[in-house]
Amino acid sequence: MMISVILIYVVLFLLSVQFLNLQWKSRGFPPGPIPFPIIGSIWWIKFRADHGSLKKLAETYGNICTLWMGHRPVMVLYGFQAVKNGLANNSEDVSGRLQTYVFNKMAQGKGILMSNGLIWKQQRNFGFGTLRKLGMGNKGMERGIQTEAHYLVEFFKEKNGEAVDPSFPIVHAVSNVICAVVFGHRFSLEDKNFRQLMEAYNWIVAFGNSHFYYICEVFQWAAEHLPGSLQKTLLSRDFVRSFVRQEIKSHREKGRTGEPEDFIDFYLDQIEKTKNVPNSTFDEDNMVQAVFDLFLGGSETTATTLRWALLYMLVYPDIQEKVQKELDTVLSPSHVICYEDRKKLPYTYAVIHEILRFSSIILITIPREAVKDTTILGYHIPKGTLIMANIDSTLFDPAYWETPHQFNPGHFLDKDGNFVTREAFLAFSAGHRICPGETMAKMEFFIIFCSLLQKFKFTVPEGVKKINTDFIFGSTMKPHPYKLCAIPRWVTQC
Ligand code: HEM
């Protein structure tokens, strides 16, 4: 009994010391809720960084404020000015990626998405450069996208106007675009290995969206020893890795006679070229992880945006009609859409940007970390501080958008109907970690969206009274499952 009382006093004493220590440490940081030992101040947003809680946080403490995750400070940036300045000024200083227990399990600090330092710099520069070469040099990427757009058109044609959920065919198309870029070939839906690959990625993304993910980050011992989601996620990771290794093996066996044709070809060349360069990080493990990251970064995001795109076309049939009118006026019905066409289709291109803005699929950037002591918006920030930039708040910032909460392609058009870019359009983030797949994503989105709208009128299935445009909260904001009818444009009824 006596021992328990002493223990309680000791714990209370230690917690009080920790509490005072935290208050001391938070001096000099931007304002924020009071931090407590162990839980920090994340309790204030109910342990969930969603639209509502981040808005309330900014309204209470300002556009730059501090949350504490346990004893670790997190700088939260809200609104265009804070996000842009926070990420783009002293950009290199805030280009670190948070290394957590789960991130380490998934990537071991390799590849592009979760790496830091020299590995990140070399892998990112190389990955970015290779995507550019594959996209702009031999037009391979564009051809790959056109092929997938064609299969998607065939899919809807076969449905003959019947109500269908477009999610799976879209995910299949987008994943195949990456396969073409990375492996140099596509997979049919019947391919068992490819289906397993998609299932493995689905599982990894679902795990990242689950509460169990956070539990694993906090209670690492339990995550390590108890059977459950983490173990299945690691098995999925292993499956993806062995899939990629198998592709690398067949590229090696096949050998090459001409120019490199896909990401693996370029990477194998790079390993060869740099094998005697000190500090080179080009090896098979980094190649596998870089491929893993291109899939992870590029498939779910683009597929989700395309799902929103078709949903908005159901909600705004007048906008759908205007896009089709522009397509019909500028292009012949048999024209195969290419990215260059965007220059002749300003309204359509504006609609695509408005879809990217309005669906705002990424709420916050993947957490960043200050790699050295620095200054953000006048505050001194010590090395190791986390940075959480709320991308969504830039896309709806009332100071930069005329009608932020309305779907309005006019946001991207000048008074003469020409397409214009907008500085607050930070859907792909800003600074040194800006999304390297932006051009590829836009190319994919443009070609697939236009190919579908050129051929079909999308309508709501009979009997559906209300279209749900709420999002499902997760690492990307997804629409609820829905069905649509794709009516070949020379037929009028579903
Ligand atoms: C609509 C589509 C897409 C959106 C909205 C999007 C958005 C983003 C955002 C917001 C980030 C985080 C940047 C940061 O930490 O500040 C990111 C990172 C990244 N994205 Fe994308 N992305 C898209 C498509 C793609 C595609 C098609 C690829 C490649 C095939 C890709 C590859 C990556 C990679 C590798 C990173 C990590 C970059 C790094 O850590 O240095 N993304 N993306």
Side-chain angles (χ1 to χ4, degrees):
M1 178 70 182
M2 189 63 181
I3 293 180
S4 321
V5 173
I6 293 173
L7 266 177
I8 290 171
Y9 274 109
V10 170
V11 170
L12 284 176
F13 174 75
L14 288 176
L15 286 175
S16 308
V17 171
Q18 295 269 22
F19 178 76
L20 292 174
N21 183 24
L22 266 175
Q23 312 317 308
W24 181 258
K25 268 168 78 179
S26 55
R27 288 165 321 125
F29 277 98
I34 297 178
F36 291 100
I38 304 170
I39 54 171
S41 58
I42 204 95
W43 55 272
W44 202 93
I45 57 164
K46 299 195 179 70
F47 301 93
R48 188 171 138 134
D50 60 19
H51 295 73
S53 58
L54 293 177
K55 187 162 184 247
K56 197 164 143 219
L57 191 71
E59 280 165 0
T60 314
Y61 295 101
N63 282 357
I64 166 159
C65 57
T66 312
L67 280 177
W68 290 77
M69 262 166 123
H71 289 226
R72 202 148 179 204
V74 184
M75 217 173 191
V76 185
L77 307 173
Y78 193 90
F80 172 69
Q81 276 307 331
V83 171
K84 177 78 184 176
N85 294 341
L87 297 184
N89 300 347
N90 301 328
S91 174
E92 188 153 7
D93 300 352
V94 294
S95 67
R97 197 62 94 199
L98 169 67
Q99 297 296 311
T100 68
Y101 167 76
V102 175
F103 283 12
N104 278 329
K105 286 260 170 216
M106 294 307 288
Q108 278 116 15
K110 296 192 183 296
I112 306 172
L113 200 72
M114 298 173 200
S115 60
N116 278 318
L118 187 65
I119 294 186
W120 169 65
K121 271 193 188 145
Q122 291 193 351
Q123 300 301 317
R124 183 183 158 102
N125 285 343
F126 174 78
F128 205 172
T130 306
L131 284 184
R132 256 206 305 251
K133 279 182 209 156
L134 286 165
M136 289 179 274
N138 57 17
K139 290 243 168 200
M141 192 188 288
E142 189 164 51
R143 266 204 305 277
I145 300 170
Q146 287 163 339
T147 306
E148 291 314 316
H150 166 78
Y151 280 109
L152 211 48
V153 165
E154 289 302 303
F155 170 84
F156 284 119
K157 225 186 245 172
E158 275 167 26
K159 294 292 157 194
N160 221 355
E162 178 192 312
V164 59
D165 181 339
S167 305
F168 193 68
I170 287 178
V171 171
H172 180 218
V174 167
S175 307
N176 251 337
V177 169
I178 309 224
C179 285
V181 166
V182 173
F183 306 136
H185 60 94
R186 72 185 299 276
F187 293 86
S188 86
L189 254 190
E190 287 71 51
D191 191 304
K192 208 170 128 246
N193 269 342
F194 180 63
R195 274 186 172 266
Q196 250 179 297
L197 180 75
M198 298 216 303
E199 274 161 28
Y201 268 109
N202 272 346
W203 180 266
I204 292 168
V205 172
F207 172 74
N209 286 340
S210 69
H211 283 101
F212 201 79
Y213 161 73
Y214 292 99
I215 295 171
C216 289
E217 291 289 16
V218 179
F219 303 106
Q220 294 166 13
W221 185 91
E224 191 85 36
H225 294 91
L226 298 176
S229 303
L230 180 65
Q231 308 312 326
K232 190 167 169 196
T233 307
L234 297 181
L235 286 178
S236 302
R237 172 205 67 184
D238 292 343
F239 178 81
V240 176
R241 285 184 180 171
S242 66
F243 188 100
V244 178
R245 283 192 198 283
Q246 187 52 45
E247 284 287 339
I248 296 170
K249 189 165 165 257
S250 43
H251 273 66
R252 280 209 168 102
E253 282 166 3
K254 196 173 61 179
R256 247 202 9 259
T257 44
E259 289 293 299
E261 285 174 356
D262 55 46
F263 188 83
I264 293 184
D265 278 349
F266 274 102
Y267 206 111
L268 288 172
D269 275 4
Q270 184 71 2
I271 293 179
E272 195 54 34
K273 276 187 214 151
T274 55
K275 66 178 179 213
N276 296 321
V277 175
N279 294 334
S280 164
T281 64
F282 296 101
D283 55 32
E284 193 165 312
D285 286 349
N286 270 307
M287 168 161 43
V288 171
Q289 193 60 40
V291 170
F292 189 105
D293 293 348
L294 290 179
F295 263 98
L296 200 62
S299 50
E300 151 109 344
T301 44
T302 316
T304 302
T305 312
L306 272 162
R307 285 170 61 203
W308 279 114
L310 295 186
L311 185 69
Y312 290 142
M313 291 304 100
L314 300 182
V315 181
Y316 306 106
D318 49 328
I319 293 177
Q320 178 179 181
E321 231 169 81
K322 270 183 94 171
V323 169
Q324 284 160 337
K325 207 165 159 204
E326 189 179 58
L327 287 168
D328 293 349
T329 312
V330 175
L331 310 171
S332 80
S334 59
H335 174 81
V336 179
I337 308 280
C338 55
Y339 195 43
E340 196 61 15
D341 293 335
R342 72 192 184 283
K343 296 181 182 154
K344 296 178 274 178
L345 299 164
Y347 182 77
T348 305
Y349 204 45
V351 168
I352 280 172
H353 281 76
E354 183 64 356
I355 291 166
L356 278 161
R357 183 191 78 84
F358 205 65
S359 59
S360 182
I361 61 161
I362 296 188
L363 185 63
I364 44 181
T365 57
I366 310 160
R368 307 269 198 99
E369 185 179 80
V371 289
K372 57 176 173 169
D373 289 0
T374 186
T375 309
I376 297 184
L377 300 139
Y379 288 99
H380 172 75
I381 300 298
K383 181 178 172 185
T385 302
L386 302 185
I387 294 121
M388 199 194 266
N390 188 190
I391 300 246
D392 168 81
S393 68
T394 70
L395 302 176
F396 290 88
D397 190 329
Y400 291 84
W401 303 97
E402 295 74 33
T403 55
H405 296 285
Q406 252 178 49
F407 187 85
N408 172 12
H411 285 137
F412 294 93
L413 293 170
D414 68 11
K415 62 179 179 13
D416 300 316
N418 299 310
F419 174 79
V420 281
T421 51
R422 299 291 300 264
E423 60 171 345
F425 181 70
L426 296 188
F428 294 92
S429 190
H432 278 49
R433 285 266 182 183
I434 191 171
C435 173
E438 176 169 353
T439 309
M440 176 172 169
K442 284 187 182 168
M443 195 188 237
E444 251 182 281
F445 190 8
F446 178 82
I447 294 176
I448 294 178
F449 181 74
C450 292
S451 306
L452 290 177
L453 264 72
Q454 191 188 29
K455 298 279 187 287
F456 303 102
K457 175 178 175 182
F458 291 97
T459 62
V460 182
E462 226 176 76
V464 175
K465 296 272 172 296
K466 195 175 175 306
I467 305 171
N468 188 354
T469 52
D470 294 341
F471 56 79
I472 302 173
F473 181 82
S475 56
T476 59
M477 309 298 142
K478 290 188 216 33
H480 286 264
Y482 66 92
K483 286 191 173 173
L484 49 70
C485 300
I487 315 293
R489 288 188 53 220
W490 47 93
V491 180
T492 47
Q493 281 189 345
C494 177

